[in-house]
Amino acid sequence: MKIALLQLNPIVGDLVGNAQMIEKAVQQAASLGADLAITSELALLGYPPRDLLLYPDFVHRATQRLGQLADSLRESIPLVVGTVQPNPAPEGRALFNGAAWLEAGEIRHWIHKSLLPTYDVFDEDRYFEPAQQREPIRFRGRQLGFSICEDVWNDRDFWQHRRYKMDPIEEMSAAGADVLINLSASPFSVGKQTLRVKMLSALARKHHLSVVYVNQVGGNDDLIFDGASFVLDPAGEVIAQAPAFQPDVVCVDLEQPAPPSLPAIWPTSTPAELFQALVLGTRDYVFKCGFRQVLLGLSGGIDSAVTAVIAVEALGSANVLGVLMPSPYSSPSSLTDAQALAEALGIPTYTLPIAPMMQAFEQVLAQPLAGFPPDITEENLQSRIRGTTLMALSNKLGHMLLTTGNKSELAVGYCTIYGDMSGGLAVISDVPKTQVYQLAEWINRHQQVIPTSTLTKPPSAELRPDQRDSDSLPAYEVLDAILSRHIEQHQSHDQLVAAGFDTETVQKVLRLVKIAEFKRHQAAPGLRVTDRAFGTGWRMPIARR
């Protein structure tokens, strides 16, 4: 039996466009000799649809579009497509997260998701009712056991602590399934693909069944989906795979043996993996929001440099505008570094000195601020002048503004709200500063794109004379280590001190993380690349003690 994995990039809510994309992929699968085609989770709607699911009209139109898709594929091979099904029962959630088996113009079978995650970026119990039964579907002499995403993440022998009491895969295997098919929309994070393969290989060996894993690809809001779908034989060996970070249709004969080797589909290093994810997330966010061009401030620093390289890779140099906004405190090298970067990338630039605007603000505020010594107020004004200038260009030119702050800065509030935080997308807001440097070095691995002085000079916001980030923050190596343990591993003050970090440093960092919460609630959406990002999965109260 030949199964086609439809690794597609849907747009959330675009029922017509998604249906057309699925239909075209099924036709391609049929031409490859497939007997059955499988999409990813909720492929007809795009994942995650979030509160679109609360609108009955949207659900009704999705149901209509499903019927039209079934009719258009009447003469083609069967398709199992991720979609929603209204719950007819008078109690429970209004919908099932499901998959419809379309064949000969009809819906022959329904599959429902059993395990509904509510952690991190997921909130499926808000919308869906869990599956009531789990039975294999017989097709071409095989027993196909269907599951949806989270259903495979609860094996008692793989996880030390399970989130759910029941295991739908155990039930499916006990019912006679010899092929496990999983429709997924599993978001990217660094290192996750290795975990997926290891986990599903263990399932294949444990239950002695083939595993077909179909993952969504593309960026939707803050989430990036890396695709990298694959098929395992009962020994847990990979027999076929789809590329990472791009759509594809892969047809697999389940009877074929594992090949002696497969082409590498996954980036060979963490920076390479991270870069490809950020490029995909940036491109899709910009395009799916209806933009074609972007702009960003070029400071001569490493954050704006890395962001600019990602933007050019995602959109092309002609579609990226760099804006240099020197102040009286900007060093000459910062300006020359920004210009050198723009030349290396081939992007157009504007140079707009902000000194006249700084003077105008000083004059307007002279009376109410008389008697107060200069402090962070004047520093933030510079950042807000730049933010306002960039937003004016964004409005007039129709370019999306990219913000350039990293995760370390966002964590401790080392950023100016309504200033350098202004924009439509925070490209590297989930990338710690130390990893930004690693990305920059990887970008320069073959030729110098980012100027060497950008990598070697001490980081500085350049908002006052001789300013350095180290004036306000611990060394980034120390800061990032504390932040990783606190934010991603949930370690407390006492645990951090016990791990060897200085008490005063820990107290300072944790205080900064806490008081910056109001800024993060107003930040631009950022691309999620770690297991714990600020954004939809971060639900910390602002007013707290």
Side-chain angles (χ1 to χ4, degrees):
M1 182 173 62
K2 293 183 178 180
I3 293 182
L5 289 64
L6 310 187
Q7 180 173 290
L8 305 178
N9 185 350
I11 297 176
V12 172
D14 185 8
L15 299 171
V16 174
N18 293 342
Q20 292 172 344
M21 179 172 56
I22 292 167
E23 181 179 351
K24 182 178 179 181
V26 173
Q27 293 169 349
Q28 181 181 347
S31 71
L32 294 172
D35 301 305
L36 177 66
I38 313 292
T39 75
S40 56
E41 179 180 14
L42 293 182
L44 183 59
L45 287 71
Y47 189 93
R50 294 184 170 135
D51 276 7
L52 286 177
L53 297 171
L54 300 180
Y55 288 81
D57 176 67
F58 177 70
V59 174
H60 175 68
R61 287 189 288 112
T63 303
Q64 285 184 318
R65 187 58 57 183
L66 180 67
Q68 293 166 359
L69 181 61
D71 188 62
S72 67
L73 294 173
R74 181 179 297 274
E75 304 299 326
S76 191
I77 61 175
L79 165 70
V80 179
V81 56
T83 185
V84 295
Q85 182 185 24
N87 179 10
E91 65 280 329
R93 306 293 188 271
L95 300 169
F96 291 104
N97 181 340
W101 181 302
L102 308 183
E103 185 176 358
E106 300 176 345
I107 300 175
R108 292 285 178 86
H109 307 284
W110 274 102
I111 301 112
H112 295 154
K113 189 172 185 176
S114 298
L115 306 182
L116 304 175
T118 58
Y119 58 88
D120 193 40
V121 298
F122 307 107
D123 201 3
E124 295 200 19
D125 191 54
R126 178 182 177 91
Y127 313 105
F128 299 121
E129 188 71 7
Q132 302 302 312
Q133 57 183 12
R134 289 156 288 275
E135 296 178 355
I137 297 173
R138 188 164 184 81
F139 180 69
R140 298 287 177 95
R142 305 294 294 266
Q143 292 284 92
L144 308 183
F146 284 90
S147 61
I148 298 177
C149 205
E150 186 79 357
D151 292 346
V152 297
W153 291 78
N154 201 46
D155 178 28
R156 70 176 72 250
D157 295 320
F158 189 84
W159 301 103
Q160 290 185 344
H161 176 80
R162 299 196 306 163
R163 291 183 179 273
Y164 313 94
K165 295 180 180 179
M166 60 90 65
D167 183 350
I169 308 308
E170 276 188 354
E171 292 187 18
M172 200 73 70
S173 176
D178 56 19
V179 179
L180 172 62
I181 299 175
N182 184 258
L183 291 74
S184 266
S186 178
F188 167 84
S189 61
V190 172
K192 192 171 183 179
Q193 178 66 359
T194 301
L195 174 61
R196 293 189 194 116
V197 174
K198 183 178 179 181
M199 176 189 71
L200 290 173
S201 294
L203 272 181
R205 292 190 298 269
K206 175 179 177 178
H207 298 292
H208 197 67
L209 41 73
S210 301
V211 175
V212 178
Y213 171 80
V214 188
N215 192 26
Q216 178 173 287
V217 71
N220 284 329
D221 291 354
D222 55 329
L223 302 183
I224 302 166
F225 299 89
D226 46 298
S229 307
F230 56 88
V231 179
L232 304 170
D233 66 14
E237 297 295 323
V238 177
I239 63 172
Q241 56 193 9
F245 304 111
Q246 65 186 63
D248 200 6
V249 174
V250 176
C251 185
V252 186
D253 186 347
L254 295 184
E255 307 303 326
Q256 74 181 34
S261 63
L262 286 167
I265 64 162
W266 201 253
T268 56
S269 66
T270 295
E273 173 185 2
L274 188 57
F275 185 79
Q276 288 194 32
L278 293 170
V279 167
L280 175 60
T282 300
R283 180 188 299 122
D284 272 7
Y285 187 85
V286 171
F287 286 167
K288 291 179 181 182
C289 288
F291 291 81
R292 288 295 177 268
Q293 296 173 297
V294 299
L295 76 155
L296 73 161
L298 295 182
S299 67
I302 193 165
D303 296 325
S304 62
V306 168
T307 303
V309 174
I310 292 167
V312 168
E313 184 71 18
L315 307 169
S317 57
N319 297 312
V320 179
L321 172 64
V323 185
L324 289 65
M325 296 169 287
S327 80
Y329 305 120
S330 299
S331 64
S333 65
S334 292
L335 195 59
T336 56
D337 285 349
Q339 291 168 335
L341 174 76
E343 291 175 7
L345 295 176
I347 63 174
T349 62
Y350 286 122
T351 299
L352 307 175
I354 67 169
M357 291 179 274
M358 292 170 60
Q359 293 168 3
F361 269 101
E362 289 174 6
Q363 292 172 3
V364 170
L365 294 171
Q367 182 178 357
L369 299 188
F372 290 94
D375 59 11
I376 196 172
T377 305
E378 285 76 14
E379 295 180 28
N380 285 340
L381 266 176
Q382 296 171 60
S383 182
R384 289 178 179 133
I385 287 169
R386 290 181 171 124
T388 300
T389 302
L390 290 168
M391 282 307 305
L393 291 171
S394 173
N395 291 162
K396 187 63 71 175
L397 301 177
H399 292 20
M400 178 184 285
L401 173 57
L402 304 181
T403 72
T404 62
N406 60 66
K407 187 173 188 176
S408 309
E409 295 170 346
L410 190 61
V412 295
Y414 196 64
C415 45
T416 304
I417 193 166
Y418 321 125
D420 59 338
M421 292 178 69
S422 299
L425 177 66
V427 174
I428 60 170
S429 65
D430 197 31
V431 183
K433 186 77 169 188
T434 49
Q435 206 159 37
V436 175
Y437 277 100
Q438 294 171 16
L439 267 177
E441 291 170 357
W442 179 84
I443 289 166
N444 281 358
R445 67 197 184 283
H446 297 312
Q447 63 183 41
Q448 184 176 298
V449 178
I450 300 173
T452 301
S453 57
T454 297
L455 279 71
T456 57
K457 64 187 175 186
S460 172
E462 294 192 330
L463 299 175
R464 65 174 184 264
D466 299 320
Q467 184 180 23
R468 298 287 184 269
D469 290 4
S470 56
D471 298 339
S472 304
L473 301 174
Y476 278 113
E477 292 78 7
V478 175
L479 176 63
D480 285 352
I482 293 173
L483 292 174
S484 176
R485 287 171 174 265
H486 180 60
I487 293 168
E488 298 171 24
Q489 302 175 40
H490 309 113
Q491 289 189 6
S492 67
H493 170 278
D494 291 348
Q495 289 173 308
L496 289 165
V497 172
F501 294 100
D502 174 70
T503 301
E504 289 187 10
T505 302
V506 169
Q507 289 175 341
K508 176 180 180 178
V509 171
L510 298 196
R511 177 181 174 276
L512 290 173
V513 171
K514 175 186 165 186
I515 64 175
E517 197 61 53
F518 81 100
K519 292 186 180 182
R520 291 190 289 270
H521 274 251
Q522 300 177 67
L527 299 176
R528 175 187 182 273
V529 293
T530 70
D531 288 330
R532 182 73 165 153
F534 301 122
T536 54
W538 180 267
R539 305 181 186 184
M540 204 65 72
I542 299 173
R544 62 190 174 104
R545 294 182 183 174

